[in-house]
């Protein structure tokens, strides 16, 4: 069993930032990532463009140079990959942490490949793993996906997109421009207020001219092989349909947090307990970093405002 000062669960930007800080302090560490480097970013849509400018996505003051002010997915993948490789960070990829247990002051971490022991654990797993499901008939059909990758797939198809956030609106515009017949099903009265400011007018114009059909104050009620039912203010509407993209958001793996002993709030936010000064949870020497700190408030923490978590955690560990 390999023994280390720190195990970092999650190889996203904040997990990488934690590793860089640990390396500076001369602490032994290992990042364990169940997928590729920055796996969540890898699974973003191919053409995705960040809301943030490149300097706000930088970690450890390492310059992020992009063609435009707001970088795209492939540029971010290259940036974070180069940080990992040029700094020779200790990262184990395609290895999933299954259990974390604690005996006195030592953690035992078991993964899909091996076991480790460590004095400290940092959980930086993000929230992109578990989609918010619709819980309606037909959601398990193969035509339904909670993740969107490439608009080419939906060319000349009748596509329903559920949601009004950045991911749903980006998908609607891209698929429309590749020849899909796009229908947006939006629970609220309008396109989401947090949609990127340069994208929101575009989709509103496409809706107003009839290029994209949108149903507001509406919900999807049932999915079938060739049609869907939409609940609207005027009643149930049935339309022909080939594919459904249910882009209704994602959530952290709360089961994993509770199994390792992290306390969550009892309300719908399900906020994990941690000290904002050190990021330490109610389990001593177990820390949280990044967007997972927001519970169901997945819009609260981003790369740009959670980079500081790495410094807070490692400073606390180094001082102990």
């Amino acid at each position: 069993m390999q023994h280390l000062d720190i195990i970092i669960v999650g190889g996203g930007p904040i997990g990488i930032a934690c590793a860089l800080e640990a390396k500076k302090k001369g602490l032994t560490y290992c990042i364990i990532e169940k997928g590729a480097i920055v796996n969540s970013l890898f699974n973003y849509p191919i053409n995705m463009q960040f809301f943030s400018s490149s300097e706000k996505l930088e970690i450890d003051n390492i310059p992020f140079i992009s063609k435009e002010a707001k970088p795209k997915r492939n540029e971010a993948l290259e940036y974070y990959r180069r940080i990992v490789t040029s700094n020779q960070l200790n990262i184990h990829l395609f290895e999933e942490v299954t259990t974390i247990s604690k005996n006195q002051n030592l953690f035992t971490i078991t993964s899909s490949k091996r076991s480790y022991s460590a004095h400290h654990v940092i959980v930086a797993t993000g929230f992109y793993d578990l989609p918010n499901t619709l819980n309606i008939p037909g959601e398990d059909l193969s035509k339904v996906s909670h993740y969107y990758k490439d608009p080419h797939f939906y060319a000349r198809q009748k596509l329903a997109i559920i949601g009004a956030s950045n991911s749903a609106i980006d998908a609607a515009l891209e698929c429309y421009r590749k020849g899909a017949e796009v229908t947006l099903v939006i629970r609220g009265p309008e396109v989401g207020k947090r949609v990127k400011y340069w994208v929101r007018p575009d989709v509103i114009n496409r809706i107003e001219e009839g290029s994209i059909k949108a149903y507001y104050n509406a919900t999807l009620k049932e999915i079938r092989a060739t049609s869907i039912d939409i609940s609207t203010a005027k009643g149930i509407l049935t339309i022909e349909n080939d594919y459904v993209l249910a882009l209704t958001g994602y959530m952290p793996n709360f089961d994993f947090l509770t199994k390792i002993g992290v306390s969550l709030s009892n309300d719908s936010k399900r906020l994990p307990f941690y000290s904002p000064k050190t990021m330490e949870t109610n389990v001593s020497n177990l820390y949280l970093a990044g967007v997972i700190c927001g519970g169901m408030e997945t819009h609260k923490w981003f790369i740009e405002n959670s980079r500081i978590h790495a410094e807070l955690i490692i400073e606390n560990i180094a001082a102990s």
Side-chain angles (χ1 to χ4, degrees):
M1 182 184 296
Q2 187 178 9
H3 179 74
L4 300 157
D5 292 321
I6 308 169
I7 286 291
I8 303 165
V9 185
I14 305 307
I16 293 170
C18 290
L20 290 169
E21 292 298 322
K23 187 175 180 180
K24 289 180 194 175
K25 296 292 186 182
L27 300 167
T28 58
Y29 68 91
C30 180
I31 303 172
I32 306 176
E33 166 56 57
K34 71 175 186 178
I37 297 170
V38 289
N39 193 59
S40 292
L41 271 61
F42 174 75
N43 286 305
Y44 282 175
I46 286 176
N47 300 319
M48 181 262 190
Q49 186 171 28
F50 285 86
F51 190 93
S52 303
S53 56
S54 57
E55 66 268 17
K56 291 184 177 180
L57 300 176
E58 293 174 355
I59 54 177
D60 200 36
N61 294 316
I62 300 169
F64 183 173
I65 309 300
S66 58
K67 291 181 180 179
E68 301 175 53
K70 299 178 187 300
K72 295 189 175 181
R73 165 189 172 272
N74 283 351
E75 292 176 309
L77 293 180
E78 180 68 8
Y79 172 72
Y80 294 115
R81 182 187 65 81
R82 289 295 300 272
I83 289 176
V84 169
T85 55
S86 62
N87 287 277
Q88 298 182 324
L89 296 184
N90 184 20
I91 183 169
H92 292 178
L93 301 170
F94 302 99
E95 180 175 338
E96 184 173 6
V97 172
T98 53
T99 61
I100 299 174
S101 59
K102 188 179 183 185
N103 183 13
Q104 295 182 343
N105 292 322
L106 198 63
F107 291 95
T108 298
I109 301 94
T110 304
S111 77
S112 55
K113 294 184 178 180
R114 67 204 89 186
S115 295
Y116 309 80
S117 65
H119 290 295
H120 305 87
V121 172
I122 303 171
V123 179
T125 50
F127 68 94
Y128 201 56
D129 291 340
L130 301 174
N132 294 322
T133 55
L134 301 171
N135 298 316
I136 61 172
E139 190 172 5
D140 58 346
L141 292 174
S142 60
K143 64 184 278 186
V144 181
S145 177
H146 292 277
Y147 295 90
Y148 164 66
K149 195 73 173 180
D150 192 327
H152 175 84
F153 181 85
Y154 300 103
R156 300 184 68 114
Q157 301 298 296
K158 293 179 173 62
L159 172 65
I161 299 176
I162 319 305
S165 64
N166 277 297
S167 57
I169 300 308
D170 283 346
L173 288 168
E174 288 185 5
C175 292
Y176 152 68
R177 292 193 166 108
K178 293 298 182 182
E181 184 180 320
V182 177
T183 299
L184 275 167
V185 181
I186 296 174
R187 184 172 55 183
E190 60 182 342
V191 172
K193 292 288 191 183
R194 294 195 183 98
V195 170
K196 289 170 280 198
Y197 64 84
W198 67 94
V199 172
R200 197 170 187 271
D202 187 2
V203 74
I204 291 172
N205 287 336
R206 302 294 75 73
I207 292 169
E208 289 179 350
E209 73 186 15
S211 298
I212 293 174
K213 181 68 177 178
Y215 293 98
Y216 298 108
N217 298 309
T219 56
L220 195 62
K221 301 301 289 184
E222 185 169 350
I223 305 167
R224 293 179 293 275
T226 60
S227 65
I228 57 174
D229 288 346
I230 304 171
S231 177
T232 72
K234 296 180 180 180
I236 300 295
L237 176 68
T238 299
I239 65 170
E240 293 182 359
N241 172 262
D242 297 309
Y243 289 97
V244 173
L245 279 172
L247 303 179
T248 51
Y250 310 91
M251 69 177 77
N253 189 336
F254 293 115
D255 287 342
F256 178 74
L257 289 179
T258 55
K259 283 178 182 177
I260 62 179
V262 177
S263 297
L264 304 175
S265 65
N266 293 322
D267 56 17
S268 60
K269 295 179 180 179
R270 304 204 72 187
L271 297 170
F273 176 86
Y274 63 90
S275 165
K277 293 183 178 180
T278 64
M279 309 309 294
E280 188 174 16
T281 69
N282 55 288
V283 180
S284 61
N285 297 329
L286 176 64
Y287 301 82
L288 300 181
V291 295
I292 195 170
C293 299
M296 288 299 292
E297 294 184 317
T298 53
H299 60 277
K300 184 175 181 178
W301 292 105
F302 304 95
I303 297 170
E304 57 262 42
N305 67 350
S306 62
R307 294 175 296 186
I308 188 63
H309 294 174
E311 296 179 25
L312 293 175
I313 293 169
I314 302 303
E315 285 291 342
N316 185 254
I317 291 174
S320 62

